[in-house]
Amino acid sequence: MSARDEAVLAVESRSWQGPGPKERAIREQLGISPTRYYQLLNALLDDPQALAHAPVTVNRLRRVRDARRGRR
């Protein structure tokens, strides 16, 4: 897992008051657009290394993703 992948998981593991501060942090800390961030994050949800690195965050996001899929 790359340092960028770890940084994406670190940003996602933080608690945010709303989308504005999080999007600002994505741009400033990672130097990527929020769209690219969510593309990378979604790919990490299926990566066993990401699960080993941040199991609480990855499992939480998997549950959210699965719930959204179930509603479609």
Side-chain angles (χ1 to χ4, degrees):
M1 199 164 78
S2 72
R4 181 182 66 182
D5 293 344
E6 291 178 7
V8 167
L9 290 172
V11 167
E12 192 59 32
S13 67
R14 290 180 55 194
S15 167
W16 299 97
Q17 294 293 350
K22 183 177 182 179
E23 290 180 0
R24 193 172 322 111
I26 290 167
R27 291 184 189 282
E28 292 173 2
Q29 294 175 13
L30 303 175
I32 59 176
S33 71
T35 300
R36 181 67 182 140
Y37 168 83
Y38 286 109
Q39 290 170 342
L40 294 170
L41 181 61
N42 192 47
L44 285 171
L45 296 184
D46 297 319
D47 185 341
Q49 290 180 344
L51 179 61
H53 178 76
V56 173
T57 300
V58 171
N59 282 325
R60 176 179 55 84
L61 294 171
R62 283 179 175 179
R63 284 191 303 273
V64 170
R65 180 180 66 179
D66 292 345
R68 284 184 181 150
R69 284 182 179 168
R71 285 183 281 190
R72 291 183 185 175

